[in-house]
Amino acid sequence: MNWNFRLLRGLARLTFAQQLILLALVPATAATLVAIAVLTRQHLGNLTELMRANAQTVALQVATVAQAPLARMDRRALARTAQTGTYQPHVQQVQIWTEDGEIVANSETVDRRRGEGLQVVVPIVSDDGRHNGKVMVEIGLDAVQSARRSVWLNVALVLAMSLLGVGLAGWWAARRISEPIRALGEAVDRLGAGEAASVAIEGTSEVRHLQHGFNQAARALAESHRLLQSRINEATAELARKNQLLEVASQAKTRLLAAASHDLRQPLHALTLFSDGLANGETDPVKLQRIGHIRECVDSLDRLFSELLNLSQLDAGVLQPQWADFPLDRLFDEISRNFRPVAEQQGLRLVVRKTELWVRCDYVMLSRILNNLVSNSLRHTVEGGVLIGARARGKGVRIDVVDTGVGIAAHHQARVFEEFYQVEPASRSNAPGGARGMGLGLATVQRLAELLNTRVELSSRLHKGTCVRVQVRAAPAALPAPVAPAPTLVTAADDNGASLADLRILVIDDERTILEGLSVVLGNWGATVLAAQTRAEALALADGWDTPPDVVVSDLLLQGGDNGLDVIAALERHPNGIGAGTARLLVTGETKPDRLREVAAAGIAVLYKPVSPRVLRQAIQAQRAAALMVAAGL
C-alpha cells in the first residue's frame, strides 16, 4: 500500500504533458512486449521442430543404409554408415544399436565443440518388417540458440523503435493538447494578478471552445473590474471630500470650543476671585449662604471646563506618561480623602479597600482615570455607594470601581466612551445642585488608558449598577519614591494654608476685573500686589522698584497679540528685572493644542482658569519655595 501510494504521489508531481506521454508509452510498451514474446516463442518453436525433423530424416537415412550391414553384423560397414550420418549439418552424434540395445557403431563430431543437442531414435526395419535395431541421431541446437540471440537483438531494436515512435507521437499529442492548456493557465494567472489576459484560439475543437469561453469571461471580468475601479475611485474621492469636510468641521469645532472656553474662563475666573473676596470677613449667615450657592455654581462650571481642558491636553499631545513604581494604596488614600465628603453629602457609602499591591504606571494619569471613574459613579448613584478595590491578575493588577447606580443599558455600553455621549434619561444626576458633566469623563479615561498602553473594561446592568475595570502593570514592592506633582495639575489645598504676608507679587493680566479680583484675594492673604495689564506697564514697574517681586503671576494671552511667556522673558532681560529667586506662574484659559504645547515646552508652572483661591495660594507657595531652593543653589 505504501509503495502504491508513493507511486501515485510521484505520478501526481508530473506535468500534464509528461503524464500524457507516459500514458502513451506504458500501454504501447506492454503491447509490444506481449506481441514480441508470442511471436518469438512461436518462431523458436518452429525452428526446434525443424531441427527435430532434420534429425529424423538423417536417422531414417542411416537406418535404411544400416539395414543390410546390421543383418550381417558388419561392424565396419555400420561404422562407416554412422560416420556418414555425422557429415550432415548440425549432426553431432550417430549410434547404431542392435535390437538388444548393444551399440554396434558410434560416430560423433570431434572437430567442434558440442553444445546442447536433440536426440531422435528411429528403428531399423528389415524387409520382412522385423525390428533389427535402432539408430540414434543427436542433432545440435546451436542454430536455435543463435536464432534466439538474434531474436532478442531484433526484439530490442524493434522495441526501441516502437517506443521512440510512440514517444514522439505521444509528445506531439501532449504538446498539442497541453500547450493550449498551459497557455490558458498562464492567462488565468495574469487575470488573477489584475492584468488583461487573452489566449489564441487553436488546438482541438474542445480546447478551442474552452479558449473562446475564457476570452469572453476575461473580457467581462475586465469590464467589471474597470467599472468597479471607477466606482472605487469615485467613492474614494467622495470619502476624501467628506473627510476633508469633517476635518474642517472638527478644526472649526476645536477653534470654537477653544475660543469659547477662553472667553468664558476669563469672567468665571474673576467671579471665583470675587466670590472668595466677598466671603472674606463676612459673618451674615444669609449672605454666606448666598455666597456658598455662587461657589457651587462656579465649581460646577469649573468641572465642565476641566473636562474640556483635559481633552484639549490629550489632543495637543502635551501629556506623556512618566513611569514610576508606587504603592497603589497611596493613590487609594488620596481618592478616599477627595471623594468621601462628596459621598457623605449625597448619603452614599464610599468603600476603598486597603491593598499591599504596587504598580508601575504614571501616577497623575492613573489618578485622573480613577478620579473620573469615581466621580462618574457618585454622580449616577442614587442609593448604596461605590467600592474601589484591586487584585493581582497574572503579571498585572486589576483595579475595580463598582457602584450600585442606575446602570447602563446594553445598547449604550459600546458608546459611553465616545466624546459628548450621554445616556438619557436613566443616568440623571444625583449630585448636589443637579451638577452634570458633558459626556467627556469616560472619553478622557479611554484616551488616558491608551497613553498608558492599557485597557478599560465596562460591565453594567440597568438599575443594578456598573463595574469598570482598569488593567495596569504590577511592580515589586519597594520603598516608595516621592511623586512630584505635575505643575499643570495642581489640585485643591486645605483652606488653612500659610499666609502670603510680606510677599511681593506682580500680577499681569489684560482683564481689569481679574486684576482687581487678584488684588483683593492676594491682599486679603497679606501680600503686596503690583498690577500690570501690558508688557509696557510691567517694564515700567520694573524701572521703579527697589527689589524685584517674589512672585510673578501672568496670564498667557495679553493685548495686542502679546503673551505672558514673552513678558516674563522681557522682565528677565531687564537690568532691574527678575532673577532666579523670583517664582513664575502662568494662569490661562487657553485650550488650543498649539498653545498647550507651547506652555508645556516653556517649563513654567501653569494653572488653568477658573482657578479657586486655595489652589492659587498653594501654587504660589510651592513655586516660591522652589525658587528659593534654586536661588540657594540646592
Side-chain angles (χ1 to χ4, degrees):
M1 291 297 293
N2 291 335
W3 183 84
N4 292 335
F5 178 74
R6 287 196 296 270
L7 178 61
L8 292 175
R9 188 168 59 181
L11 291 175
R13 293 195 183 101
L14 299 178
T15 64
F16 182 65
Q18 291 172 337
Q19 292 182 12
L20 286 176
I21 295 173
L22 189 61
L23 184 62
L25 287 176
V26 170
T29 303
T32 303
L33 289 175
V34 171
I36 291 176
V38 172
L39 294 175
T40 301
R41 183 175 182 180
Q42 184 177 0
H43 174 70
L44 294 177
N46 292 336
L47 186 59
T48 302
E49 290 300 321
L50 180 62
M51 297 300 293
R52 185 186 300 276
N54 188 25
Q56 185 81 17
T57 302
V58 171
L60 288 173
Q61 291 175 353
V62 171
T64 301
V65 174
Q67 180 180 358
L70 181 62
R72 298 190 304 269
M73 289 300 293
D74 187 354
R75 293 181 179 271
R76 183 177 301 222
L78 290 174
R80 286 196 302 269
T81 302
Q83 187 176 11
T84 302
T86 59
Y87 294 155
Q88 299 298 321
H90 307 295
V91 176
Q92 297 181 145
Q93 185 178 15
V94 177
Q95 289 181 348
I96 301 174
W97 304 339
T98 65
E99 185 65 23
D100 297 333
E102 179 186 357
I103 300 174
V104 295
N106 179 43
S107 178
E108 56 183 319
T109 59
V110 295
D111 58 339
R112 56 190 177 89
R113 182 180 178 184
R114 292 177 57 179
E116 182 182 357
L118 177 66
Q119 294 181 348
V120 175
V121 179
V122 175
I124 301 174
V125 182
S126 63
D127 292 339
D128 57 4
R130 289 183 306 157
H131 288 186
N132 296 329
K134 298 179 182 178
V135 175
M136 187 278 294
V137 176
E138 181 182 348
I139 191 166
L141 296 179
D142 293 339
V144 176
Q145 298 297 332
S146 177
R148 182 178 286 113
R149 287 192 296 271
S150 178
V151 165
W152 282 117
L153 179 60
N154 293 333
V155 164
L157 292 175
V158 171
L159 182 61
M161 295 299 293
S162 300
L163 294 181
L164 179 61
V166 172
L168 291 175
W171 176 81
W172 177 83
R175 291 282 296 178
R176 182 170 174 80
I177 296 174
S178 66
E179 185 63 25
I181 296 177
R182 185 187 61 80
L184 196 61
E186 292 176 353
V188 170
D189 292 338
R190 293 196 303 272
L191 195 63
E195 303 175 4
S198 63
V199 293
I201 307 299
E202 58 185 3
T204 63
S205 59
E206 293 84 357
V207 175
R208 292 168 66 88
H209 180 72
L210 180 61
Q211 292 167 339
H212 181 69
F214 172 80
N215 288 341
Q216 286 184 330
R219 285 193 294 270
L221 185 60
E223 181 64 19
S224 299
H225 182 270
R226 186 186 63 80
L227 292 176
L228 181 61
Q229 188 62 42
S230 176
R231 291 175 182 174
I232 291 176
N233 292 338
E234 292 175 359
T236 303
E238 180 66 17
L239 183 62
R241 187 181 66 82
K242 290 183 177 180
N243 283 339
Q244 186 177 7
L245 292 177
L246 288 175
E247 182 66 24
V248 171
S250 177
Q251 292 177 358
K253 179 206 73 173
T254 302
R255 289 194 299 269
L256 175 63
L257 288 176
S261 174
H262 178 267
D263 293 343
L264 291 174
R265 284 173 184 272
Q266 296 291 97
L268 183 60
H269 181 51
L271 182 60
T272 302
L273 298 174
F274 282 121
S275 64
D276 188 78
L278 288 175
N280 186 48
E282 182 61 59
T283 58
D284 187 347
V286 176
K287 291 182 179 180
L288 288 175
Q289 183 180 15
R290 291 174 180 172
I291 294 172
H293 291 328
I294 293 174
R295 283 181 169 176
E296 287 181 3
C297 294
V298 171
D299 290 341
S300 179
L301 287 172
D302 187 18
R303 283 193 297 271
L304 297 179
F305 280 119
S306 295
E307 290 181 0
L308 283 175
L309 175 62
N310 291 339
L311 205 60
S312 298
Q313 288 177 319
L314 292 172
D315 288 336
V318 299
L319 295 181
Q320 294 299 326
Q322 303 296 321
W323 302 100
D325 296 345
F326 56 88
L328 193 56
D329 202 50
R330 181 202 303 170
L331 179 55
F332 280 9
D333 287 343
E334 179 183 312
I335 294 173
S336 179
R337 289 193 304 270
N338 290 342
F339 289 98
R340 191 171 300 281
V342 178
E344 292 174 352
Q345 187 178 2
Q346 297 178 213
L348 302 174
R349 293 185 61 202
L350 178 64
V351 179
V352 182
R353 289 181 176 172
K354 301 291 289 183
T355 178
E356 301 294 331
L357 296 173
W358 281 57
V359 296
R360 178 167 179 77
C361 196
D362 183 293
Y363 186 91
V364 175
M365 289 187 181
L366 185 58
S367 173
R368 183 179 294 180
I369 288 175
L370 296 182
N371 283 336
N372 280 6
L373 292 177
V374 174
S375 175
N376 195 67
S377 294
L378 291 174
R379 185 179 297 121
H380 300 302
T381 300
V382 178
E383 59 181 358
V386 178
L387 170 67
I388 306 160
R391 62 185 63 186
R393 282 291 182 266
K395 296 182 179 180
V397 174
R398 192 186 77 189
I399 304 173
D400 297 338
V401 178
V402 186
D403 64 58
T404 58
V406 294
I408 304 171
H411 61 280
H412 289 300
Q413 293 179 17
R415 300 194 58 192
V416 293
F417 290 100
E418 297 178 7
E419 299 172 7
F420 303 106
Y421 186 82
Q422 293 178 295
V423 181
E424 297 288 352
S427 60
R428 290 290 183 185
S429 172
N430 188 47
R436 299 179 56 207
M438 299 178 65
L440 293 176
L442 291 180
T444 302
V445 167
Q446 184 72 14
R447 301 278 287 277
L448 287 171
E450 291 174 357
L451 282 177
L452 295 174
N453 296 322
T454 185
R455 64 180 186 274
V456 179
E457 299 174 349
L458 180 144
S459 59
S460 181
R461 294 179 59 190
L462 198 59
H463 309 302
K464 296 294 184 181
T466 301
C467 176
V468 182
R469 302 177 180 88
V470 182
Q471 293 284 142
V472 293
R473 281 183 285 178
L479 292 176
V483 178
T488 59
L489 296 170
V490 181
T491 57
D494 189 353
D495 283 334
N496 297 323
S499 172
L500 301 184
D502 301 328
L503 284 184
R504 289 164 47 83
I505 303 177
L506 171 61
V507 180
I508 307 171
D509 198 302
D510 56 352
E511 292 287 341
R512 176 60 62 182
T513 54
I514 293 178
L515 281 180
E516 292 177 359
L518 285 173
S519 298
V520 170
V521 171
L522 297 175
N524 289 336
W525 293 336
T528 301
V529 180
L530 305 174
Q533 284 187 279
T534 64
R535 181 193 301 218
E537 292 181 8
L539 294 177
L541 289 173
D543 292 335
W545 63 46
D546 296 329
T547 58
D550 301 301
V551 182
V552 175
V553 180
S554 176
D555 191 6
L556 178 62
L557 299 183
L558 301 174
Q559 292 179 357
D562 206 352
N563 67 74
L565 293 173
D566 294 337
V567 174
I568 291 176
L571 289 173
E572 292 172 348
R573 295 190 300 269
H574 192 279
N576 199 29
I578 60 177
T582 300
R584 298 154 176 81
L585 182 64
L586 284 176
V587 181
T588 181
E590 185 62 47
T591 58
K592 291 181 180 179
D594 56 341
R595 290 293 187 185
L596 292 177
R597 285 190 288 268
E598 182 183 0
V599 171
I604 298 178
V606 59
L607 298 175
Y608 292 95
K609 298 177 182 179
V611 182
S612 67
R614 61 177 180 271
V615 172
L616 177 62
R617 181 174 60 193
Q618 182 190 28
I620 291 174
Q621 291 169 344
Q623 296 307 311
R624 175 59 179 166
L628 290 176
M629 293 180 65
V630 171
L634 298 178

